[in-house]
Amino acid sequence: QARFIQIIVHSNYGRTDYSEIMELEVYGEALERRTDIMDLSAGTVLLHYSSEYSEWYALSVLDGTPQNGWASDRNSAPPHQLEFELPRKYLIDTLVLDNRGAEESTHPGVSAHKVEFYASPSLNKNDYTLVATHEAKPGVFNYWQLDKPFQAQRIRLKVISNNGGRTDYTEIMEL
């Protein structure tokens, strides 16, 4: 995972006057452009949410854009839960929590911070296992490449805290 690449030439076989690099190639894919299986258009369904505020619907985290998002109900302190069913079983190697678009400028610390991801490889609602715990930064596209991919057909997100310790609202713009 990288946004910038720095190349340092430590040796050029004894030449002291100059060094040359004829070509540099890097192959990869922008994580923001990978196939998003946590999206309504992919067939993912929202099964459950612990609360939501006014027009900040839990379903908005599946709309494919950080312009709309979910907010917990007013004065509903963490933890919060959102639960989803994927259209089929997937092998998941990357998790994303998008805090871009959260109202940090008017409500500092409102975006989700400490989160736990649970997965179930089946449709059994009692078959969840904790697969990852992460700390998301406010106002950015947070992504985590996993050392060990996991299989899931259901995903449960548990928001343990938000970035400012706020007790009035917590927001997530996209998963």
Side-chain angles (χ1 to χ4, degrees), residues 3 28-37 94 96 100 141 143:
R3 179 172 223 131
E29 179 180 14
L31 289 176
E32 293 95 336
R33 294 188 191 122
R34 293 185 68 191
T35 301
D36 181 8
I37 60 172
T94 304
V96 173
R100 296 174 299 170
F141 182 86
Y143 60 90

Side-chain angles (χ1 to χ4, degrees), residues 60-164:
S60 296
V61 300
L62 301 176
D63 69 359
T65 174
Q67 278 73 35
N68 302 306
W70 163 84
S72 63
D73 199 9
R74 183 182 307 208
N75 297 320
S76 176
H80 306 289
Q81 287 193 137
L82 297 118
E83 191 172 335
F84 308 92
E85 184 177 307
L86 305 172
R88 63 180 177 83
K89 189 183 299 186
Y90 285 91
L91 183 63
I92 298 172
D93 66 358
T94 304
L95 299 171
V96 173
L97 189 147
D98 198 342
N99 277 332
R100 296 174 299 170
E103 296 181 314
E104 287 290 333
S105 63
T106 57
H107 295 77
V110 73
S111 53
H113 178 235
K114 187 173 182 184
V115 293
E116 295 176 342
F117 290 89
Y118 294 82
S120 172
S122 70
L123 297 177
N124 183 346
K125 64 182 179 180
N126 299 319
D127 193 24
Y128 283 97
T129 303
L130 177 64
V131 293
T133 300
H134 292 289
E135 292 188 9
K137 295 179 180 152
V140 300
F141 182 86
N142 294 275
Y143 60 90
W144 302 281
Q145 189 77 34
L146 304 175
D147 294 333
K148 183 180 176 189
F150 61 89
Q151 287 188 9
Q153 187 157 8
R154 287 191 173 189
I155 300 284
R156 180 182 292 155
L157 174 71
K158 187 173 185 180
V159 180
I160 305 301
S161 68
N162 52 23
N163 273 291

Side-chain angles (χ1 to χ4, degrees), residues 13-64:
Y13 298 100
R15 296 287 305 241
T16 58
D17 50 349
Y18 60 87
S19 296
E20 293 179 339
I21 296 176
M22 302 310 286
E23 184 174 345
L24 173 67
E25 295 181 18
V26 177
Y27 298 94
E29 179 180 14
L31 289 176
E32 293 95 336
R33 294 188 191 122
R34 293 185 68 191
T35 301
D36 181 8
I37 60 172
M38 290 291 290
D39 199 314
L40 290 170
S41 65
T44 296
V45 176
L46 174 68
L47 296 174
H48 170 78
Y49 55 91
S50 53
S51 74
E52 65 184 8
Y53 177 72
S54 189
E55 295 178 12
W56 287 75
Y57 305 115
L59 196 58
S60 296
V61 300
L62 301 176
D63 69 359

